[in-house]
Amino acid sequence: MHGMRRILLSLVLLLGLPVLAQAQELIAGKSFGKAPNEIVVTFAGPVDRAVVEDPANYRVYEEQDPDIKLALESVVLADDQKTATLTFAEPLNSRLPHVVTVSRVAESGVAATFTVMKPYLGYLLSILISALLINNFVFTKYLGLCVFFGTSKRKDTAKGMGLTFTLVMVVSAIMSWFFYQFILKPYDLNFLQIVIFIGLVSLTVQAVDTVLRKVNPALFNAFGVYLVLVIANCVIIAVPLILADNEYNFFESFMLALGAGGGFLLALYLMSSVRERMELANIPPTFKGVPIAFIVAGQFALAFLGFSGLTLF
Amino acid sequence: MATDKTNLQLVVNGILNENPIFRLVLSMCPAVGISTTVMNGFMLGIAVLFVQVFSSCTISLFKNVIHPRIRIPTYTLTIATWVTVIDMVLAAYLPEAYARMGIFVKLIVAFAIITMRLEMFACKESVNASFWDGIGMGLGFMFGMMALGFVRELLGLGTVLGYDVLGFKPLLFFVLPFAGFFCVGLMMAFFNYVEIVYKRAKRA
């Protein structure tokens, strides 16, 4: 337990470092503004209004595309002569780090270059929340429905299935990430994606099965039956494909897998709670069983649509 | 054990008695996710037909050399190979349709219907029977997807295959993504209703 905490602590430090390392003398603070097309820069001392409000003195681009200069419409300096708001022609993609260069502001005439980015932990959490709620794999991506309808009859089953799924998903996503970054990409073997990923998933399931049987027989008796169902399921194979498509790094992949698994668990639990109650309800004979389950799932999907505008970080 | 059904019976069995979508309730993800138009259903149906037929034939051909304990991984890898083939072919020759189907083409690899047919049928039967069984299952899947697409496109947009039929849009609701759940549920209930009425009429 103690070692776990130390690892977590060093993880937090590691993620926080890039933010600390960018401290500059001229620039006291920078962030994305309230509107999607704004960047707010705070200077350390009062600056020359004529120089700061001239858009020609700025060069802004996304860190990964240094050649594409973003069109700056206007710069407004607040009355305190310190805070400048940069307004762009197009909304910015605030998920990516943006590099801003300001020339002629400093007295020495040296241009100041700095990176504007969201706190990395917040970005990681936003991936988790997005996979969990906004892009829930069951209700908004329509994946894993066979297992979803098959195992959501009782709450106990739903919980067991959801936990097994999350475990297998995280392990297989991490393995797939390593394979994708260090074998498939360097050797130009991208066309083997499907074969490799499905192989890794089967391997993970087999490994979890074997390990669980030895280490924790009680848990194996409870969850073992679901493991077979996991292989033939599209949620499991969708996660590696998505993380390869989006070029996620290790932590992002981990968060995506965790969010996808948690989302599946959430969906199964919600659905099983409703279906347990439906057993007592008086349902027309034509709708009994699967048809009414589909209607209920449709209503859940409608409800999850409400998360679509959610931005937390 | 050899099947005693003729080729035609195998095909009809896949389309009607054991229809993958409405009867076996397998492969529901694409049925809900991308059955918004007839064309989408047709394209994915073609892809599934291809994978099903070729995987069935491959497994049937090698059934005597596959050790029973590794049969499931063998099935999975066989399917994955054929899915890679159709994935690359579609991406190269029909990029537009491929973009619309998105990740679902790659996900054919996890469709329960294909693995189930290999386990239940192809690993016991001759290549010829497996071929026709694969055709039947593929056509059954395609039929189910197109039926769903037909209902959703007609009610949602008033069109069939892109041609304006009704001239107005009765229920725009049906082309929205989540309406797939409602549509599948209502159609299953409809088929149940037909079955109940049919049985009652038979008894009377």
Side-chain angles (χ1 to χ4, degrees):
Chain A
M1 202 60 215
H2 195 73
M4 190 74 181
R5 200 174 295 161
R6 191 176 298 166
I7 291 171
L8 269 179
L9 197 71
S10 53
L11 201 72
V12 170
L13 275 179
L14 203 73
L15 295 175
L17 268 184
V19 182
L20 294 176
Q22 287 162 4
Q24 292 258 344
E25 295 123 33
L26 180 69
I27 312 293
K30 71 265 176 175
S31 63
F32 288 105
K34 282 228 172 67
N37 59 341
E38 282 179 358
I39 286 180
V40 179
V41 181
T42 314
F43 294 99
V47 283
D48 187 358
R49 184 174 290 271
V51 175
V52 169
E53 288 199 341
D54 181 6
N57 286 336
Y58 293 86
R59 215 172 84 83
V60 185
Y61 54 87
E62 289 173 3
E63 199 171 57
Q64 54 190 28
D65 300 309
D67 302 329
I68 304 169
K69 206 182 144 206
L70 300 178
L72 186 60
E73 268 197 341
S74 66
V75 182
V76 178
L77 189 64
D79 292 333
D80 62 358
Q81 292 212 326
K82 279 183 188 172
T83 313
T85 307
L86 286 66
T87 311
F88 293 86
E90 311 249 321
L92 304 169
N93 184 359
S94 60
R95 287 182 164 192
L96 300 174
H98 286 61
V99 178
V100 182
T101 307
V102 195
S103 48
R104 291 172 48 198
V105 173
E107 277 170 17
S108 59
V110 180
T113 303
F114 52 91
T115 311
V116 184
M117 62 187 294
K118 283 190 170 178
Y120 196 64
L121 270 180
Y123 173 56
L124 282 183
L125 276 178
S126 80
I127 290 185
L128 178 74
I129 299 287
S130 165
L132 197 67
L133 297 175
I134 305 165
N135 290 319
N136 187 289
F137 274 59
V138 176
F139 292 133
T140 58
K141 285 196 171 151
Y142 318 109
L143 297 176
L145 296 181
C146 304
V147 174
F148 175 67
F149 286 111
T151 60
S152 62
K153 287 202 185 80
R154 288 181 54 240
K155 269 188 207 161
D156 296 338
T157 334
K159 272 186 267 181
M161 192 74 207
L163 286 176
T164 319
F165 252 84
T166 315
L167 180 68
V168 174
M169 220 178 261
V170 169
V171 175
S172 68
I174 289 173
M175 290 207 316
S176 314
W177 183 82
F178 274 106
F179 260 80
Y180 178 67
Q181 290 294 333
F182 297 113
I183 296 177
L184 294 189
K185 245 177 40 174
Y187 297 102
D188 221 1
L189 293 171
N190 260 338
F191 65 94
L192 280 181
Q193 261 184 23
I194 304 172
V195 178
I196 295 280
F197 288 164
I198 197 86
L200 282 175
V201 170
S202 324
L203 202 69
T204 317
V205 172
Q206 198 61 54
V208 171
D209 186 283
T210 314
V211 171
L212 214 59
R213 198 189 294 258
K214 286 272 180 234
V215 175
N216 196 338
L219 200 68
F220 177 78
N221 284 338
F223 292 164
V225 281
Y226 311 123
L227 278 168
V228 189
L229 280 170
V230 173
I231 306 181
N233 193 288
C234 26
V235 189
I236 289 274
I237 183 78
V239 173
L241 288 173
I242 289 175
L243 68 90
D245 261 2
N246 292 349
E247 296 282 336
Y248 279 153
N249 69 19
F250 179 77
F251 295 111
E252 291 163 356
S253 307
F254 178 76
M255 284 300 185
L256 178 78
L258 202 63
F264 198 72
L265 174 65
L266 178 72
L268 272 176
Y269 189 74
L270 286 174
M271 189 68 184
S272 61
S273 323
V274 174
R275 280 180 87 170
E276 273 188 359
R277 294 208 162 194
M278 249 171 6
E279 299 215 328
L280 305 173
N282 188 13
I283 297 161
T286 42
F287 275 95
K288 270 218 169 85
V290 188
I292 193 75
F294 265 92
I295 306 278
V296 171
Q299 284 164 338
F300 270 123
L302 255 174
F304 268 70
L305 213 62
F307 286 119
S308 58
L310 188 74
T311 44
L312 288 177
F313 300 98
Chain B
M1 183 193 85
T3 178
D4 50 356
K5 287 178 181 161
T6 63
N7 296 343
L8 187 67
Q9 278 172 331
L10 283 174
V11 175
V12 172
N13 175 53
I15 298 176
L16 295 178
N17 298 359
E18 293 190 22
N19 187 293
I21 291 183
F22 294 117
R23 282 309 180 118
L24 303 179
V25 201
L26 288 172
S27 312
M28 298 317 299
C29 314
V32 172
I34 55 164
S35 62
T36 43
T37 62
V38 180
M39 203 56 202
N40 277 357
F42 178 70
M43 291 307 298
L44 196 73
I46 292 276
V48 169
L49 180 70
F50 173 88
V51 175
Q52 178 76 69
V53 168
F54 277 85
S55 310
S56 284
C57 288
T58 315
I59 291 296
S60 178
L61 208 55
F62 292 106
K63 61 179 181 285
N64 294 327
V65 291
I66 299 172
H67 193 280
R69 275 180 72 182
I70 56 152
R71 65 182 198 290
I72 299 282
T74 318
Y75 298 162
T76 317
L77 287 180
T78 312
I79 298 168
T81 314
W82 288 114
V83 170
T84 310
V85 172
I86 192 76
D87 185 62
M88 289 167 90
V89 168
L90 283 181
Y93 292 102
L94 294 165
E96 252 177 67
Y98 181 72
R100 235 179 300 132
M101 286 188 279
I103 200 171
F104 277 109
V105 178
K106 285 181 178 158
L107 290 183
I108 294 177
V109 72
F111 281 10
I113 176 67
I114 297 175
T115 321
M116 196 202 90
R117 272 342 266 183
L118 297 186
E119 168 80 15
M120 307 273 291
F121 198 90
C123 71
K124 299 174 202 146
E125 306 287 346
S126 67
V127 178
N128 185 40
S130 303
F131 174 80
W132 289 107
D133 180 69
I135 294 264
M137 281 295 148
L139 284 179
F141 178 81
M142 194 198 285
F143 166 75
M145 286 292 287
M146 284 173 73
L148 275 171
F150 177 77
V151 170
R152 288 180 74 177
E153 199 181 342
L154 188 70
L155 290 180
L157 296 170
T159 60
V160 171
L161 277 170
Y163 296 105
D164 208 333
V165 183
L166 294 180
F168 66 101
K169 295 173 182 174
L171 279 165
L172 190 59
F173 173 76
F174 270 102
V175 283
L176 299 176
F178 57 82
F181 284 116
F182 291 104
C183 199
V184 173
L186 290 175
M187 276 183 85
M188 276 180 179
F190 174 74
F191 284 130
N192 282 351
Y193 179 72
V194 170
E195 202 180 331
I196 289 174
V197 168
Y198 179 74
K199 272 185 188 155
R200 208 177 286 156
K202 216 172 164 186
R203 215 181 299 142

